[in-house]
Amino acid sequence: MGRNKLAFSVWYTQYAGFTDSYTRMHRAFNRLEKWACKACPHVWQSLAPGLVWVSGESVPVRELLSVVSDSPDMRDFIMAHHIHDGQRRRQRFLEYGLFGSYECYGEVCSLSWLSSRMLQIVDMGRFRILVFAWCHVTRNYLGIVVGCPIAHTQRLLHHVIQLQPQSYRFVDKGLFGSFFVSYVDALSSGHHDVHDNVISLMPNTGPHTSTSYTRGIKITITAMFCADETPRYRVYRYQVTLELIDSVQLGYQCVQLESRHWLVHYANHEFVHANGAGVVGEFPVLSVERPFYRYCSRVEDDPAGLEVVGFEGQFTVVPGSLVDPKGPAIELPVPYIELPIPMEII
């Protein structure tokens, strides 16, 4: 018993001021390890060793206080680097971003967690953003507000954010500790698909997703605001996943996508129809052997000033193939999906 008290005393002294953060982040990383070792071991292997805690003064504080404050709101962030100091920046790990990946029109975005030595403060007008996750290809990022006008301090200071320069449109994800714990919970609950060790950046359930199931084919659509796009108007990426779940219910061994039809809704209650053959120049086949297909595209405000708020539609597939149809075309409806409209700083 005395030995345990001594060990606790040493631990408490070393982590003075950080005990709650240590407990919260340690539990989150334990859960992340349990999930990642089975679902995507490459992501877990990419995590770097943590920064060392020495004699009551921490390397995280010495390394990170040059770019962050020792605010209680930032201690979860500091402690996360104590447990794992970001992801290794080796070439073989770049596609396995901890905070997810997507591919859109051939461009791959993978949000990697940066080590303490790679953290950067970026000035975006009246805001200072600590970038802690970054894609070296698309320049997409996750950051923490470490400086802002007094009027926005209570609402945004130390929050994880994606801020679009110039327009000041942003997505607020809350304080780092809450954001990270919620993200790990979502991963553990299967709310992000994983294929070939790559975590999908866009979740498969929750707000701003749409799921339908028709004739044994499941369609999942999810959308995100693009802070890295032009500030002139809002741009959203959406990811579509088509999966053949039950070929018996479908009644065929395979189908080929023929066309798509979207009904795009605007804030003033107007809408437009958008039709096209295939998707992103392809006519994918869903079969028992290859039941999965995913693509990413984008939708944006009308240049005339109309604000897009959501869309719905349908896909048309042909049993067999387009050149050798085995039956009549099948329509697969897609329920309405509400877009994640960003907030704006006036």
Side-chain angles (χ1 to χ4, degrees), residues 260-273:
R260 69 191 185 280
H261 172 76
W262 295 123
L263 187 63
V264 182
H265 295 257
Y266 294 95
N268 65 349
H269 304 295
E270 292 186 17
F271 58 85
V272 298
H273 294 271

Side-chain angles (χ1 to χ4, degrees), residues 8-17 19 53 55-57:
F8 177 80
S9 175
V10 172
W11 175 84
Y12 188 84
T13 300
Q14 288 181 335
Y15 291 99
T19 52
W53 205 277
S55 302
E57 184 186 37

Side-chain angles (χ1 to χ4, degrees), residues 169-217:
R169 299 186 186 108
F170 69 95
V171 178
D172 181 8
K173 299 178 180 291
L175 295 173
F176 179 85
S178 298
F179 157 75
F180 190 78
V181 170
S182 296
Y183 179 64
V184 172
D185 287 345
L187 293 177
S188 301
S189 300
H191 294 173
H192 291 259
D193 292 335
V194 178
H195 291 280
D196 296 328
N197 279 276
V198 176
I199 301 170
S200 174
L201 188 148
M202 290 181 261
N204 56 35
T205 189
H208 316 299
T209 63
S210 173
T211 302
S212 62
Y213 187 87
T214 307
R215 294 280 297 271
I217 295 177

Side-chain angles (χ1 to χ4, degrees), residues 158-170:
H158 299 143
H159 280 220
V160 176
I161 197 174
Q162 285 179 304
L163 177 69
Q164 187 178 60
Q166 300 179 46
S167 76
Y168 291 112
R169 299 186 186 108
F170 69 95

